[in-house]
Amino acid sequence: MYRTTQLTPPPLLPAPGALPAAGVARRAAQVLHRNWTGASTVPSRALYPHQWSWDSAFIAIGLRHVAPRRAQREVETLLRAQWSDGRVPHIVFNPAVPPAAYFPGPGFWRSSTAGRAAGAPRTVETSGLVQPPVHALAVWLTHCADPELSRSRSFLSRAYPKLAAWHRYLLGRRDAGGGGLAAVVHPWEQGMDNSPCWDVPLSRVTPAPEGSFRRADLDHGAPDDRPTDLDYGRYVRLAADYRDRHYADTRPVFDAFAVEDPSFNALLIASEHALARIAAELGLGGSARDERAERLTAALVARLWDPEREQFLCRDLGTDTLVPERGVTGLLPLVLPALPAPVVAGLLRTARGPCFGLGGAARLVPSYDLTGAAFDPHRYWRGPAWFNVNWLVERGLRVHGEHAEARALRAALVTTADASGFAEYVDPHTGRACGARGFSWTAALALDLVRTGTAPDSTPEGADGGASDETDDDGAKEEADDE
């Protein structure tokens, strides 16, 4: 059973704004320094010892302020593991990590053999799933931090064709519903793995047999904070079936589990806008990509907007119906500038209302409806607040001119991140730390919010991200701020 009683102990953290910004930036940079492997940054040394796709995008957004060359390399390392069909895998495995340190590891995915027909690389092992496509936005912001360095390294010209292929894959092979949006074929792809939004479509999946896998995540986290064994068994079954079908995006895969998710598609649209800016910078013209982003925004509204609930919902393609659960995924399209005004107004009312408590009942925006029957303030994605989600909400507030509210959320996010030890996630009411500590995207996004204060547009975000003192691409000398 999930906990449904909301406890209200005294706040565990200082009031927002109580911590000096310079100290927060220094401590955040130290987390990123400790988690750097020489080629990329692990989310957590203990729990997540490999490279994760959307983690690396968020990490680069923070790193650009203190180590722009390393931020570029973060994304480049990930993109070198791209499959020839265009997909960017959600995990790139480090061969130096013991196999038992993480499950499912390379021996489970068998990408270089099972993924050969789909174009998996032969020189590195990866998973076969994907994660939310925030990468083009990260590449553009990283370029803006130090355009001179970026141009000298041909960063954009090398990244652009890979990012374009990534978007073609999602908008082509993953359009399972035929409505123009990308579908996810596993909860791990959407990133909010354990959200109640997945309960109904996931219930149709027969779990892998008990004892057929070992959960390494329970070595580092409390069972009450992690997905249940039943749900994890379903995750394993879905992933194994996809692998055994050689990672082919075909009807049997879509029949097992296929969902159009609001935040996944919103980040694809935001990155399509970023690709337009990259194309313009390269002299390729970006208007066609901006027009595509606007068409995708219209498709998002047509297929996933619920005017009665005043938020976006997931569409279960197995039944072609909207899932009524209120996950924070339904608020994240706020990052899109071309949303119709009535939709923006509805999203803001929902965010400020009892379900998400923005500016009121919650310290940070929760991952799931505060009033929902499945709400749990500590269990993975079923209620806790996550820092990447709140970073996106803060950005969306600024996109739509809600600057005072954005400043308040920014202060709460930075303070809570630092005082929690840069936790993986926190109780949305008290800020109590949950999951791993020293979590990379928490540190990176807190650093980004400390270092930037401009609107999320195409201008360089803060002059402090200038040229680094790194000497080469091999990371021979680290940034001064990373000491």
Side-chain angles (χ1 to χ4, degrees):
M1 294 293 292
Y2 297 119
R3 295 187 292 271
T4 57
T5 301
Q6 174 57 48
L7 303 178
T8 55
L12 300 179
L13 302 177
L19 296 168
V24 175
R26 183 177 63 256
R27 289 184 288 274
Q30 288 169 346
V31 169
L32 297 175
H33 173 64
R34 288 192 296 269
N35 289 346
W36 174 249
T37 68
S40 63
T41 308
V42 298
S44 161
R45 283 287 180 181
L47 187 54
Y48 304 104
H50 301 284
Q51 183 179 24
W52 262 258
S53 173
W54 73 326
D55 291 72
S56 278
F58 287 122
I59 289 163
I61 288 170
L63 271 177
R64 66 192 173 116
H65 300 291
V66 295
R69 186 190 299 270
R70 205 168 86 195
Q72 292 176 24
R73 191 173 181 200
E74 182 80 37
V75 181
E76 290 166 345
T77 299
L78 176 69
L79 292 178
R80 279 199 291 271
Q82 184 174 25
W83 293 26
S84 65
D85 66 1
R87 84 181 75 194
V88 176
H90 96 292
I91 306 174
V92 181
F93 291 106
N94 180 349
V97 174
Y102 181 80
F103 178 85
F108 174 89
W109 297 102
R110 304 197 293 272
S111 63
S112 60
T113 54
R116 188 172 299 166
R122 299 193 181 194
T123 57
V124 62
E125 292 294 328
T126 76
S127 72
L129 299 176
V130 302
Q131 276 190 324
V134 69
H135 309 88
L137 176 61
V139 165
W140 176 246
L141 294 179
T142 298
H143 163 81
C144 289
D146 193 335
E148 183 177 351
L149 174 68
S150 175
R151 292 174 187 132
S152 72
R153 299 186 68 251
S154 302
F155 175 57
L156 293 185
S157 62
R158 288 185 291 112
Y160 181 80
K162 293 178 176 290
L163 295 169
W166 171 218
H167 286 207
R168 282 197 301 273
Y169 168 78
L170 292 173
L171 293 171
R173 300 196 184 193
R174 286 300 188 89
D175 184 9
L181 300 182
V184 296
V185 300
H186 195 291
W188 287 338
E189 293 199 314
Q190 192 268 356
M192 303 178 191
D193 317 354
N194 198 37
S195 170
C197 296
W198 310 122
D199 288 356
V200 170
L202 200 60
S203 68
R204 299 192 295 267
V205 177
T206 301
E210 186 176 351
S212 64
F213 59 92
R214 178 186 173 275
R215 294 185 59 179
D217 63 315
L218 297 183
D219 295 341
H220 306 283
D224 285 350
D225 291 350
R226 304 293 299 173
T228 66
D229 285 344
L230 176 61
D231 285 338
Y232 208 91
R234 288 170 169 150
Y235 302 156
V236 172
R237 169 70 73 181
L238 270 179
D241 287 351
Y242 191 36
R243 175 201 64 203
D244 293 345
R245 292 190 173 99
H246 305 288
Y247 302 108
D249 296 309
T250 57
R251 192 73 261 161
V253 170
F254 296 146
D255 289 343
F257 181 99
V259 174
E260 291 175 351
D261 174 75
S263 63
F264 189 100
N265 281 281
L267 290 174
L268 174 58
I269 296 166
S271 276
E272 191 70 17
H273 281 301
L275 266 186
R277 290 168 179 167
I278 294 169
E281 169 71 17
L282 295 173
L284 303 175
S287 60
R289 291 201 175 275
D290 276 327
E291 291 168 3
R292 178 183 293 168
E294 291 177 5
R295 291 195 302 271
L296 289 170
T297 301
L300 184 75
V301 173
R303 290 187 62 78
L304 304 185
W305 175 248
D306 186 323
E308 293 184 4
R309 290 181 175 82
E310 291 196 311
Q311 75 170 89
F312 290 89
L313 301 176
C314 296
R315 180 173 290 276
D316 178 0
L317 295 179
T319 59
D320 199 26
T321 58
L322 294 178
V323 178
E325 299 288 355
R326 289 183 180 271
V328 73
T329 180
L331 299 184
L332 297 191
L334 270 175
V335 300
L336 302 178
L339 284 182
V343 171
V344 174
L347 282 176
L348 291 173
R349 282 191 293 271
T350 299
R352 294 163 179 155
C355 296
F356 293 99
L358 176 65
R363 177 182 287 264
L364 293 177
V365 177
S367 52
Y368 176 67
D369 181 359
L370 294 167
T371 69
F375 174 77
D376 185 322
H378 304 140
R379 194 180 287 273
Y380 207 64
W381 290 109
R382 301 184 81 87
W386 291 71
F387 293 92
N388 64 329
V389 165
N390 278 268
W391 183 88
L392 289 165
V393 172
E394 190 271 349
R395 189 175 183 87
L397 290 170
R398 285 188 285 130
V399 164
H400 296 289
E402 303 294 330
H403 295 293
E405 206 161 23
R407 284 193 296 271
L409 181 57
R410 172 189 295 245
L413 191 156
V414 170
T415 302
T416 306
D418 185 79
S420 68
F422 301 100
E424 185 178 1
Y425 51 99
V426 297
D427 183 308
H429 290 100
T430 67
R432 172 189 164 189
C434 301
R437 309 299 192 273
F439 200 73
S440 290
W441 78 23
T442 303
L445 297 177
L447 176 60
D448 180 66
L449 292 179
V450 166
R451 290 295 187 96
T452 61
T454 60
D457 57 20
S458 59
T459 59
E461 296 199 359
D464 54 6
S468 78
D469 66 357
E470 293 171 300
T471 57
D472 55 45
D473 283 345
D474 294 327
K477 190 157 82 70
E478 295 293 339
E479 295 291 322
D481 284 352
D482 278 349
E483 294 176 353

